[in-house]
Each structure stands twice: as structure tokens, then as C-alpha cells.
Amino acid sequence: MLHCFGGGILSCLLLAEPPLRFLANNTNILLASSICIILSRSIHAVVKVSQGYSFLPVQVLAAGMKEVTRTWKIVGGVTHASSHYKNGWIVMIAIGWARGAGGSIITSFEQLIKGGWKPQADEWLKMSYPAKVTLLGSIIFTFQHTEHLAIARHNLVFLYTVFLVVTKIIMMTTEIPTVPFAPFEDTVSRILFGWQQHFSPCEKKSEAKSSVKGTRSSTSKSTAATSDKVKKKDTKKTE
């Protein structure tokens, strides 16, 4: 339930609206009811569904449908936020982002309440691919909604959906994470944090030199100690 409606719940909370407002849609009520019935009454059906979902073609089809739904969630979030704040760009971007990728944030909060939260898996500290691509889509659709991007909405929806579906299928079939964002993130990290990478090799070299000097001094001390012992033994024998 949180994975399916987490974005709607989070966006409603951010706009000071009832968190169960998503149930005003009949399709959402039907989906929530089917989830509850399947999980509570038919355990064998859940096992069969999980076994059928293990096949790669089924996973690819479900992932494509999920990315199509993600596009419409982002568009709905931006449009809904613009009805409250017509010139609030940041609010539109935040609500579109929350509507499209709020499920992972809600589930991490649920893990925090249950005591199973891990900082390494937090969306705010380490963003996943859905969170990154949803943020990008929210920015693009906000620019289009405020008429700063000269393109029709249906064309933008089509292009963005094709981009999501194609990249998701490539990532699933080739098992390569964050294909489209890795070069951009590498370039930005070098521009913003390149000085740390510049000084780190120097620090490593200095540490290596100090370690080499330490090993040399220790070996010289050990050889000197052994030579002194040999000399003492020789003097005792001559006596």
C-alpha cells in the first residue's frame, strides 16, 4: 500500500491536505481493495504471482507500466501544486517529485518506526535511480507548465515516457545501474569536489613516504641491535 500510494500520501501531507485524499479516485479504491483482498485471503495467489513475476519478460512489462504511471504521477503533482501556488516553482518541483517517488521515502520512514532503518539505504543521503529521474522529470514538467519550455505537454509526456521505459529496460537486461546519469554525475563531482581528489593522492604519497621511512628506520634499528648482540657474544668468547 505504501509503495502504491506513498507518493499521494506524501504530496497531500506537504500541501496540508488529508493524507487519504487519493481514495477519492475510484481506480485507487479498486486497486487498494484488490491489494488488501489478495494479501489477506489468498496466500497461494501471492505465491503464484511472485513466481510469475520472477520471469524476466513479466518484469520488463511491469517495469514499463510502472514508468508510464510515474510520468502521469509527476504531471498530476505539478498540476495539483500549481492550483495552490501558481508561481511557486519550488513547490511544483517538490510536489511532482513527492508524487512520483514518494513511496521510497514513506517506506524508509516506516522502517525508521519499525527499527530497521539503515542510513546507507536512505533516499535523502543516497538517491536511487527512480528518485533522480523523478526529480529531473519534475523540473522539466514544471518548466513546461510555467511556459518556460516551448513544447506541447503531450509531446513532452511521450518523450519522457519513452526515455524512462528504454533506460529501465536497458538497466534490467544489462544489469548496469544509473546508465544515463553516471557521466553527468562524474563530471559534476569533478567540477565541485575536484580539489579533494587533487589533494588525496598527495596525502597518500606523503603517507606512503612516511611509512617507507618508518620501515627503513625500524629495519636499521633492528640490524644495529643484532650487530651489537653479535659483538657482545664475540667479546665474551675471546675472554
Side-chain angles (χ1 to χ4, degrees):
M1 294 290 288
L2 291 178
H3 274 287
C4 292
F5 306 107
I9 295 172
L10 183 60
S11 62
C12 289
L13 291 175
L14 292 176
L15 292 174
E17 295 179 351
L20 298 180
R21 186 181 177 182
F22 65 93
L23 294 177
N25 190 353
N26 295 328
T27 305
N28 292 335
I29 294 176
L30 181 61
L31 179 60
S33 302
S34 61
I35 291 172
C36 292
I37 292 172
I38 291 173
L39 293 179
S40 61
R41 295 187 178 181
S42 180
I43 300 177
H44 298 286
V46 176
V47 175
K48 291 181 180 179
V49 170
S50 63
Q51 291 177 354
Y53 188 75
S54 62
F55 294 103
L56 183 60
V58 179
Q59 293 180 1
V60 170
L61 180 62
M65 296 172 62
K66 184 177 180 179
E67 298 304 325
V68 173
T69 307
R70 188 189 306 279
T71 303
W72 288 109
K73 285 182 178 180
I74 296 171
V75 174
V78 172
T79 306
H80 184 59
S82 65
S83 62
H84 294 272
Y85 303 93
K86 294 182 179 180
N87 297 321
W89 288 21
I90 298 178
V91 178
M92 295 181 191
I93 294 173
I95 299 302
W97 188 22
R99 186 73 66 89
S104 57
I105 300 174
I106 291 293
T107 51
S108 62
F109 181 72
E110 180 238 350
Q111 292 175 359
L112 178 62
I113 295 176
K114 292 169 60 178
W117 178 77
K118 295 181 180 179
Q120 296 83 5
D122 189 74
E123 284 290 335
W124 299 106
L125 301 177
K126 188 176 181 181
M127 292 175 61
S128 60
Y129 169 76
K132 294 176 183 178
V133 77
T134 304
L135 178 60
L136 177 63
S138 181
I139 295 172
I140 293 173
F141 283 108
T142 300
F143 285 168
Q144 191 277 331
H145 187 78
T146 55
E147 297 180 355
H148 289 83
L149 189 62
I151 186 173
R153 173 173 291 184
H154 59 275
N155 293 331
L156 185 59
V157 168
F158 174 75
L159 294 175
Y160 182 73
T161 305
V162 170
F163 170 74
L164 290 183
V165 173
V166 170
T167 52
K168 188 66 175 181
I169 292 174
I170 292 173
M171 291 171 59
M172 292 180 65
T173 54
T174 59
E175 297 182 356
I176 300 176
T178 62
V179 175
F181 298 109
F184 177 74
E185 291 176 354
D186 190 15
T187 304
V188 173
S189 64
R190 288 182 180 180
I191 294 173
L192 298 178
F193 308 104
W195 60 276
Q196 294 181 357
Q197 298 177 0
H198 177 71
F199 283 108
S200 59
C202 298
E203 293 176 355
K204 290 180 180 179
K205 288 181 180 178
S206 62
E207 290 177 358
K209 288 180 180 179
S210 61
S211 63
V212 170
K213 290 181 180 179
T215 52
R216 287 179 180 176
S217 61
S218 61
T219 52
S220 62
K221 289 180 181 179
S222 61
T223 53
T226 53
S227 63
D228 291 336
K229 289 181 181 179
V230 171
K231 287 180 181 179
K232 289 180 181 179
K233 289 181 180 179
D234 292 337
T235 54
K236 288 181 181 179
K237 287 180 181 180
T238 55
E239 292 176 355

